[in-house]
Amino acid sequence: MATIRDVAKRAGVSVATVSRVLNQNGYVNEETERRVRQAMKELNYKPNEVARALFKKTSKTVGLIVPDITNPFFPELVRAVEDVMNIYDYTVILCNSDEKVEKEREYIEVLKQKYVDGVILTTNQFAPEEVEEWDVPIVVLDRPLHERYPSVVADNYEGARLATRHLYEVGCRRIAHIQGPNHVVNAMERFRGYQDEMRALGLGDRQLVIQGNYQLKQAKEAVMAALAEHDMDGIFAGNDAMAVGALKAVQQCGLRVPDDIAIIGYDGIPLTEMTTPELSTVSQPIYEMGAMAARILIKQIEGKPLEKLHYQLPVQLVVRQSTSRRGLT
Amino acid sequence: MATIRDVAKRAGVSVATVSRVLNQNGYVNEETERRVRQAMKELNYKPNEVARALFKKTSKTVGLIVPDITNPFFPELVRAVEDVMNIYDYTVILCNSDEKVEKEREYIEVLKQKYVDGVILTTNQFAPEEVEEWDVPIVVLDRPLHERYPSVVADNYEGARLATRHLYEVGCRRIAHIQGPNHVVNAMERFRGYQDEMRALGLGDRQLVIQGNYQLKQAKEAVMAALAEHDMDGIFAGNDAMAVGALKAVQQCGLRVPDDIAIIGYDGIPLTEMTTPELSTVSQPIYEMGAMAARILIKQIEGKPLEKLHYQLPVQLVVRQSTSRRGLT
C-alpha cells in the first residue's frame, strides 16, 4: 500500500505539503494541490484514517445510542441515520443502552475515547450539566432532553389528540388509553394529548387508563384484565406493539374489532399492516426523523449554523380496518 | 483530563514504562505495573484509544455488514453481536449493504482504513480470493461464503424438511413452497429441503413453487395469483414475512387458515406471534447465531485457536394456530 512518503516523492513535494492537502489546512498553491491529488490517484493512496483521527481529533465516525434495536420502532430510525451518514462518509457505531443510564454513560465514555465526531442520542435521562461535560456534538432524537441540545421529535401531543378524536368520530364514547412508561417523555405527551382531547370532547369523566409499558404482552394482559371490569368501545394504544396486544386481548375475549371495540395504535411501524384486521395508527415520519437528526449532527460537526435547534415533525392519521366501522367511515 | 505524562509522574516511572503497561508488551515488573495501574486509577486516566489504534493497528472496533436492518430478521442478530462485543470492550460499526456488492466493497475499504479488528459479514457475493486480500479477520454469518472462512449458519435444509413434513402430518397433500431469492444461499437450501422432503413423502409430482423474493407484498400477490389457478391445502413459506403475505392472501380469498390451507413460515421472528391466527414457523436461534459469530471473531482477533471453523446450529419446529387442525394436532 502506498504511503504518504510515496505520494510526496511522486508529486515532488514534502510530506508536510501532502499532509496540508490531506487535512485541508495551511496554504498550498493550486498547481501543487493538483499534483499531489494526481499522485494520490496514480498510487491509489488511501489516507490512514486512524492517523488522521489522532491529528485532527476527528474520526469520521459517529455514535448512535438507542434503547434497543429489537424494538420495532428503531430499525428504520437507525437505517436512516446510517444512510445519511454513509453519504457524508461517516460510519456509525451502534449502541444499545436498554435505557440504563449507566450503560449510556459507559458508551459516551468509549465513544469519546474513539474521537467520534458526534453522538445521536435517544434517551431521557441526563442532566444538561452532564451532557455539557461530554464536549462532543449531540443531537437528541425521538425524545427531547433539554432546550440546549438540538432535537428531532414528532408531535406526540397532537398525534394523541388526533387518535382520540378519530375514535370519537367513528362512534366510540368509552375510549380507553394504553399508556407507555412513565419515564419516557413521548409516552407522557401522548397521555396528555388523550386527556386533553377527552375533555374537549366532553368525555373527561370517562377516561380509562391502562398501563402497558410499551410492551405487547403486558398490554395484552392489562387489556384482558380491564375488559373484565370496564365497559369500553374504543382503545387508543400509546404504541403499535401495545395495539397488537390489545387486538389479541379483544379477540381472545370473543369481541370483534372494530365492531365491538375499535383500536388505534401509534408509530406506524410495518407491523400494523400485518395484523388481521390491519391496524389504524398515527404514523410518525420515522425515516425522516433519523435522516434529519443525522443531517443536523453533520452540520454541527462541520461548524455550520443550524436554522433552528428544535424540530418537531408532523404526524399523520392512518385509517385502516381496525377503526373502519360500517356506515361511519 | 489526565495524560500519560501525569500517570508516569505520579507512578514515578517513565512514559515508556506506562506505555508498556498500557499495551501489555515488553517487560514491566509486577510492583511497577501495580504502581502504574494505581496511578491511572487515582487520576482517572483514560488511554487515548485512537493513539493506541495507530500504535497497535487495532481499534477495539469491529464492522458488522448486514443487508438491511429493517428486515425483521436482523435486529436480533445485530443486538446479539453488539451485546457480546460490548462485554469484550469492542464497539460495533453497523453497515447496511442492501446486498449490493459495490456497497459491501466500499464498506470493507472504509472499515480497513479505520483499523477495525475484524468484520462480521452477511453476504453471498465474494470470491474467496477477494476476501483474502482484505487481510482482516472475517466471520461469515447466516449465509456461508467459502469453506476457508469461519461461519455460523442454521440448518436451513433440515428446517425446510421439518416444515414440509409437519404440513404432511397435519393432513396436507398439496403443499406449495414460497421461495426466497435465487441468489441467497439459505433460500436455496430451504427450497432443496422442500423438494427432497416432498419426494420422500411420495409427493414429488405435486410440488408447487411460488416466487416470493423474501418480501411480504410480493408473496401475497404471488399467492393470490397461484390460488386462482392451483389447488393447495398447505403452504411452506421460505421466511416469516412471506408467510404473513400468504396468510393475508388466503384470508382475502375467503379461505380459512388452517382449516382450508395450513401455513408455516421460517425464521421465528416475533412477528409470527402477532398475527391472527398465530403462525407456525421453523425457529432459528437468531440471538445465539449472532452471539456465536461475535465470540468466534473475538477469538480470531486475539489469535486464539478455533475449535472448528463452521458452526451449523439446529432449528426448531414451532407449532401454532396456523397449522393446528382440529383432531390432527
Side-chain angles (χ1 to χ4, degrees), chain A residues 36 53 59 63 72 79 88 99 110 127 136 149 159 167 178 183-184 191 202 220 224 231 273 276 278-279 281 328:
Chain A
V36 170
S59 59
R79 173 74 210 229
Y88 290 90
E99 306 199 41
V110 168
V136 60
Y149 302 102
L167 289 172
I178 315 180
H183 67 278
V184 177
F191 174 48
K220 183 184 167 188
M224 294 282 273
D231 190 23
E273 291 185 78
T276 308
E278 294 184 4
L279 279 169
T281 187
L328 274 165

Side-chain angles (χ1 to χ4, degrees), chain A residues 23-209:
Chain A
N23 294 304
Q24 300 182 291
N25 62 5
Y27 174 74
V28 184
N29 86 45
E30 214 174 296
E31 166 57 19
T32 307
E33 173 151 6
R34 206 197 48 75
R35 279 217 314 279
V36 170
R37 296 215 175 268
Q38 183 64 29
M40 285 178 191
K41 214 170 157 185
E42 285 165 12
L43 295 169
N44 192 24
Y45 171 73
K46 308 273 190 238
N48 177 327
E49 290 288 343
V50 174
R52 293 187 64 182
L54 189 62
F55 178 71
K56 298 184 71 174
K57 309 263 178 187
T58 163
S59 59
K60 282 291 205 180
T61 300
V62 301
L64 172 57
I65 303 180
V66 298
D68 182 0
I69 186 74
T70 67
N71 170 334
F73 177 73
F74 289 107
E76 194 178 344
L77 205 68
V78 169
R79 173 74 210 229
V81 170
E82 209 266 307
D83 282 352
V84 171
M85 287 298 172
N86 185 34
I87 292 168
Y88 290 90
D89 289 329
Y90 288 82
T91 49
V92 177
I93 294 179
L94 179 71
C95 312
N96 291 286
S97 70
D98 294 317
E99 306 199 41
K100 288 183 184 140
V101 69
E102 269 320 308
K103 230 177 146 185
E104 291 176 341
R105 279 203 188 101
E106 276 171 31
Y107 273 124
I108 292 284
E109 206 48 57
V110 168
L111 293 171
K112 277 166 60 187
Q113 285 174 35
K114 296 193 174 178
Y115 288 146
V116 296
D117 297 307
V119 175
I120 294 176
L121 191 60
T122 303
T123 186
N124 295 293
Q125 321 204 48
F126 290 104
E129 303 78 53
E130 179 169 0
V131 178
E132 187 130 331
E133 273 179 20
W134 295 343
D135 195 25
V136 60
I138 295 277
V139 173
V140 171
L141 181 54
D142 182 45
R143 305 169 184 189
L145 190 64
H146 185 275
E147 57 179 39
R148 220 181 278 181
Y149 302 102
S151 66
V152 179
V153 298
D155 193 346
N156 292 290
Y157 174 77
E158 186 54 33
R161 294 198 66 154
L162 272 178
T164 309
R165 201 176 323 140
H166 171 64
L167 289 172
Y168 181 85
E169 283 166 0
V170 299
C172 303
R173 292 297 176 269
R174 298 188 173 275
I175 301 171
H177 174 55
I178 315 180
Q179 194 187 310
N182 279 315
H183 67 278
V184 177
V185 178
N186 57 27
M188 287 304 102
E189 284 292 287
R190 293 171 202 172
F191 174 48
R192 201 165 60 82
Y194 163 75
Q195 291 182 303
D196 286 357
E197 187 63 28
M198 287 293 275
R199 277 193 286 267
L201 293 168
L203 301 174
D205 58 347
R206 290 207 186 165
Q207 292 180 44
L208 174 62
V209 178

Side-chain angles (χ1 to χ4, degrees), chain B residues 147-259:
Chain B
E147 57 180 37
R148 221 182 277 179
Y149 303 101
S151 66
V152 179
V153 298
D155 193 345
N156 292 290
Y157 174 78
E158 187 53 34
R161 294 198 67 152
L162 273 178
T164 309
R165 201 177 322 140
H166 171 64
L167 288 173
Y168 181 86
E169 283 166 358
V170 300
C172 304
R173 291 298 175 268
R174 299 189 172 273
I175 301 171
H177 174 55
I178 316 180
Q179 193 187 309
N182 279 315
H183 68 277
V184 177
V185 178
N186 56 27
M188 287 304 101
E189 285 292 289
R190 292 171 202 172
F191 174 48
R192 201 166 61 81
Y194 163 75
Q195 291 182 301
D196 286 358
E197 187 63 27
M198 286 294 275
R199 277 193 287 267
L201 294 167
L203 301 174
D205 57 348
R206 289 208 187 165
Q207 292 180 44
L208 173 62
V209 178
I210 300 166
Q211 302 298 325
N213 200 31
Y214 274 172
Q215 304 294 320
L216 190 154
K217 280 186 183 152
Q218 234 167 298
K220 183 183 168 190
E221 281 159 28
V223 170
M224 295 282 273
L227 284 170
E229 293 186 18
H230 301 279
D231 190 25
M232 60 186 97
D233 56 9
I235 297 176
F236 160 42
N239 73 2
D240 289 329
M242 296 196 296
V244 175
L247 176 62
K248 288 183 155 285
V250 170
Q251 289 177 332
Q252 208 159 305
C253 291
L255 298 167
R256 292 160 306 164
V257 176
D259 304 55

Side-chain angles (χ1 to χ4, degrees), chain B residues 34-287:
Chain B
R34 206 197 48 73
R35 278 218 314 279
V36 170
R37 295 213 177 273
Q38 183 64 29
M40 285 180 191
K41 213 169 156 185
E42 286 166 12
L43 295 169
N44 192 24
Y45 170 74
K46 307 277 188 232
N48 176 327
E49 289 289 342
V50 174
R52 293 186 66 182
L54 189 63
F55 178 70
K56 299 183 72 175
K57 308 263 175 184
T58 166
S59 59
K60 282 292 207 179
T61 300
V62 301
L64 172 56
I65 303 181
V66 297
D68 182 2
I69 186 75
T70 66
N71 170 333
F73 176 73
F74 290 105
E76 194 178 343
L77 206 67
V78 169
R79 173 75 211 228
V81 170
E82 209 265 307
D83 282 353
V84 171
M85 287 298 171
N86 184 35
I87 292 168
Y88 290 90
D89 288 330
Y90 287 82
T91 49
V92 177
I93 294 180
L94 178 70
C95 312
N96 291 286
S97 70
D98 294 317
E99 305 199 42
K100 288 185 185 141
V101 69
E102 269 319 308
K103 229 177 147 185
E104 291 175 342
R105 281 204 188 99
E106 277 170 31
Y107 274 124
I108 292 285
E109 206 49 56
V110 167
L111 293 171
K112 278 165 59 187
Q113 285 175 34
K114 295 192 174 178
Y115 289 145
V116 295
D117 297 307
V119 175
I120 294 176
L121 191 59
T122 302
T123 185
N124 295 293
Q125 321 205 48
F126 290 105
E129 304 79 53
E130 179 170 358
V131 178
E132 187 129 328
E133 273 179 20
W134 296 342
D135 196 27
V136 60
I138 295 277
V139 174
V140 172
L141 181 54
D142 181 43
R143 306 170 184 188
L145 190 64
H146 185 274
E147 57 180 37
R148 221 182 277 179
Y149 303 101
S151 66
V152 179
V153 298
D155 193 345
N156 292 290
Y157 174 78
E158 187 53 34
R161 294 198 67 152
L162 273 178
T164 309
R165 201 177 322 140
H166 171 64
L167 288 173
Y168 181 86
E169 283 166 358
V170 300
C172 304
R173 291 298 175 268
R174 299 189 172 273
I175 301 171
H177 174 55
I178 316 180
Q179 193 187 309
N182 279 315
H183 68 277
V184 177
V185 178
N186 56 27
M188 287 304 101
E189 285 292 289
R190 292 171 202 172
F191 174 48
R192 201 166 61 81
Y194 163 75
Q195 291 182 301
D196 286 358
E197 187 63 27
M198 286 294 275
R199 277 193 287 267
L201 294 167
L203 301 174
D205 57 348
R206 289 208 187 165
Q207 292 180 44
L208 173 62
V209 178
I210 300 166
Q211 302 298 325
N213 200 31
Y214 274 172
Q215 304 294 320
L216 190 154
K217 280 186 183 152
Q218 234 167 298
K220 183 183 168 190
E221 281 159 28
V223 170
M224 295 282 273
L227 284 170
E229 293 186 18
H230 301 279
D231 190 25
M232 60 186 97
D233 56 9
I235 297 176
F236 160 42
N239 73 2
D240 289 329
M242 296 196 296
V244 175
L247 176 62
K248 288 183 155 285
V250 170
Q251 289 177 332
Q252 208 159 305
C253 291
L255 298 167
R256 292 160 306 164
V257 176
D259 304 55
D260 299 316
I261 300 181
I263 299 176
I264 184 165
Y266 201 103
D267 279 347
I269 59 177
L271 174 60
T272 50
E273 291 186 78
M274 300 183 189
T275 54
T276 310
E278 295 184 4
L279 279 169
S280 297
T281 188
V282 176
S283 165
Q284 302 197 63
I286 304 178
Y287 191 91

